[in-house]
Amino acid sequence: MPPVLTPAHRPLTLHAWRDYDEQACALPGMSLGRLDLTGPAEAQAAQLWELGARRVQFTDEVDLTAVESPDAAAHAVRRLCLIRDLTAHAVLVHWRLRLPAGPDDDAWRDLSHLQPPTALTGPDGADAALTQWRDEHYLCKCLWRQGPGFVQIRDRRWGDLRRFTADEPAYHEAIARLSYGAPSSAVPEAIAADFLAERLVSRTGPLLWWLPYRVNRWIQEAMAI
């Protein structure tokens, strides 16, 4: 099911390479050059993987202090969803993040299952938060998977395992609607409240978007996850 509100199709500009290693990326034929992505957000990570991208670098900072307008929010959500999906493909992502300033702000933890940014600015203690993000990051930190008639979310962003299982069709539909950004009115109020309470969705300006990713690269046997 497509999202109710498709993020703005302003191009997402990034540079891509065929290898994870920086020295290997400098060899002839390893660069995929500058790419301006304009297609459907839900297909972009898979297309980059098929193209051979294993390392990408975004040109613009993701600034979550300036997302009041629908267009700015949609553009930020589109980039964050792409970073989420690239993380699920085990693509190395270089990106910069600015969060709203505030004392004792742990908003970065909502995003700590994503590839750590190269720079984090805004909140007090941003440098320490970024160091912790890098030290504690691993693949499959917050994921969801779909079985016959249910959805399961496994979340380790706070250190312990938090597991949620939903078998109601309305929750499945809400996840589909929020996967690439939608207004909160696109899903039942009670479901949006449940997801927000468990920090499984993030509010970016007027939009909500789904945080867990569907893993594409397991770090160990699936039964152990």
Side-chain angles (χ1 to χ4, degrees):
M1 179 186 300
V4 171
L5 180 63
T6 301
H9 281 179
R10 199 162 14 126
L12 297 183
T13 302
L14 53 81
H15 296 266
W17 296 266
R18 299 179 187 275
D19 200 274
Y20 298 98
D21 184 77
E22 188 173 359
Q23 291 184 335
C25 289
L27 297 173
M30 299 303 290
S31 174
L32 294 169
R34 168 178 163 151
L35 303 174
D36 294 316
L37 306 181
T38 58
E42 55 267 39
Q44 288 172 346
Q47 289 171 351
L48 285 168
W49 179 266
E50 292 299 322
L51 190 62
R54 300 297 180 267
R55 180 189 186 106
V56 303
Q57 180 175 347
F58 283 80
T59 59
D60 297 328
E61 178 184 61
V62 178
D63 185 357
L64 296 183
T65 68
V67 291
E68 291 80 9
S69 73
D71 182 69
H75 193 59
V77 167
R78 189 160 173 251
R79 283 182 288 173
L80 288 165
C81 288
L82 180 56
I83 293 166
R84 178 198 63 197
D85 293 355
L86 288 171
T87 299
H89 279 80
V91 174
L92 180 60
V93 184
H94 293 272
W95 62 296
R96 293 171 290 125
L97 174 64
R98 179 178 296 276
L99 293 172
D104 303 320
D105 191 355
D106 70 345
W108 65 273
R109 285 190 177 275
D110 289 9
L111 305 176
S112 61
H113 60 304
L114 307 182
Q115 284 277 350
T118 57
L120 175 64
T121 56
D124 294 346
D127 290 343
L130 180 55
T131 297
Q132 186 175 356
W133 189 341
R134 290 171 175 167
D135 290 346
E136 297 179 356
H137 180 262
Y138 52 87
L139 196 61
C140 301
K141 198 166 190 178
C142 182
L143 60 88
W144 72 283
R145 53 187 178 177
Q146 186 164 355
F150 71 93
V151 168
Q152 185 180 80
I153 301 103
R154 301 174 70 88
D155 184 3
R156 289 186 172 90
R157 288 172 294 171
W158 283 267
D160 57 331
L161 172 61
R162 304 180 183 184
R163 184 170 58 189
F164 312 95
T165 301
D167 54 12
E168 300 93 335
Y171 280 82
H172 303 191
E173 295 170 6
I175 291 171
R177 289 178 178 271
L178 298 176
S179 289
Y180 292 92
S184 57
S185 59
V187 299
E189 184 177 350
I191 293 178
D194 284 347
F195 286 160
L196 285 167
E198 300 297 346
R199 297 171 80 164
L200 296 175
V201 298
S202 181
R203 189 183 300 278
T204 300
L207 302 180
L208 298 179
W209 62 282
W210 182 244
L211 286 165
Y213 50 73
R214 295 191 74 170
V215 69
N216 285 275
R217 296 288 179 271
W218 294 103
I219 56 174
Q220 52 186 303
E221 293 85 354
M223 290 301 295
I225 303 296

